[in-house]
Amino acid sequence: DAGVTQSPTHLIKTRGQQVTLRCSPKSGHDTVSWYQQALGQGPQFIFQYYEEEERQRGNFPDRFSGHQFPNYSSELNVNALLLGDSALYLCASSLRRGRAYNSPLHFGNGTRLTVT
Amino acid sequence: SQQGEEDPQALSIQEGENATMNCSYKTSINNLQWYRQNSGRGLVHLILIRSNEREKHSGRLRVTLDTSKKSSSLLITASRAADTASYFCATPLSGGGADGLTFGKGTHLIIQP
């Protein structure tokens, strides 16, 4: 049973460029959330996708956008990269359908993005 | 802003000792979760405690929740070198439901052999 997989594992981009990160959720999960983790900090919620729609968004500018596909996989896009976007980007999946409470998140190992 | 804040920020103990870390949060919640993160990797879910529960156990882990004080604690008993990691508490952004989570800055735990 494959867990959450993210690609690529590492990425180096130049300021002003655009980047796309990819995530495949754990089998059986229908919800994907994205988090940004700066060095020495806790993860910060970017947004959550369910049924191919953005359901909730954290305090991130609209340079950050996403998509969820019919097979539940997801992409995170960041435009006009800034030096401060350098971080570990974590994808987490969960099962939302029929649940009233938060279900535990299953995280991938992240994509380490460096902006120079 | 981060709702949950862990204390202490760092903790170093001898193998075999117990480790206790605390979490405080600001708004009403219907559940609280604890996660572990080994260096540079993804987070691993440890335990979820609901607001109507006061204590929960899972193996060597014991979690308490005091909703009147808006605080939680995580106790790891008989620590092992493999427990060396960062530990985060997480609360729902909107108080509950299928929401994103807000994490604290974490407690970095080092188990000395």
Side-chain angles (χ1 to χ4, degrees):
Chain A
D1 180 20
V4 178
T5 58
Q6 292 187 243
S7 63
T9 55
H10 295 82
L11 202 52
I12 300 175
K13 288 286 188 178
T14 302
R15 190 172 45 185
Q17 287 188 317
Q18 178 264 344
V19 68
T20 297
L21 310 182
R22 294 177 175 82
C23 172
S24 292
K26 178 180 168 65
S27 178
H29 285 181
D30 57 10
T31 302
V32 173
S33 303
W34 287 92
Y35 290 81
Q36 180 195 67
Q37 186 177 25
L39 201 60
Q41 302 293 314
Q44 297 288 305
F45 176 70
I46 303 175
F47 42 53
Q48 181 182 86
Y49 276 84
Y50 171 66
E51 292 185 333
E52 301 179 51
E53 290 189 13
E54 182 182 297
R55 299 293 178 166
Q56 191 178 25
R57 189 179 184 92
N59 188 26
F60 279 80
D62 57 12
R63 298 188 297 110
F64 289 77
S65 63
H67 190 79
Q68 185 180 35
F69 300 93
N71 66 353
Y72 306 116
S73 67
S74 177
E75 287 181 351
L76 164 66
N77 301 293
V78 186
N79 294 324
L81 285 167
L82 304 173
L83 296 179
D85 295 332
S86 295
L88 181 67
Y89 287 84
L90 294 163
C91 170
S93 71
S94 57
L95 180 61
R96 173 176 174 151
R97 189 174 302 115
R99 303 225 168 186
Y101 286 92
N102 297 85
S103 56
L105 298 181
H106 291 250
F107 282 84
N109 285 326
T111 294
R112 173 73 62 185
L113 173 65
T114 302
V115 182
T116 62
Chain B
S1 63
Q2 293 174 300
Q3 152 130 278
E5 293 294 339
E6 295 86 351
D7 171 63
Q9 290 187 345
L11 180 62
S12 180
I13 61 174
Q14 295 296 121
E15 194 168 19
E17 294 181 338
N18 296 341
T20 299
M21 52 206 88
N22 304 296
C23 167
S24 59
Y25 58 92
K26 298 175 184 174
T27 61
S28 296
I29 56 172
N30 70 2
N31 71 88
L32 182 144
Q33 301 181 45
W34 285 89
Y35 288 82
R36 182 188 76 228
Q37 184 178 35
N38 291 90
S39 181
R41 297 183 67 84
L43 283 74
V44 174
H45 178 263
L46 296 176
I47 200 163
L48 181 152
I49 186 167
R50 304 196 194 288
S51 57
N52 61 355
E53 298 175 309
R54 292 294 169 260
E55 188 170 310
K56 199 164 182 179
H57 296 255
S58 176
R60 294 183 295 112
L61 306 181
R62 171 178 167 256
V63 167
T64 63
L65 180 64
D66 187 335
T67 54
S68 66
K69 295 181 179 178
K70 292 187 171 58
S71 67
S72 174
S73 68
L74 170 66
L75 168 68
I76 304 174
T77 60
S79 63
R80 304 168 182 170
D83 295 328
T84 294
S86 292
Y87 292 82
F88 297 89
C89 66
T91 52
L93 274 167
S94 303
D99 298 323
L101 298 178
T102 181
F103 289 81
K105 292 183 179 180
T107 291
H108 184 49
L109 175 65
I110 297 174
I111 308 299
Q112 306 279 3

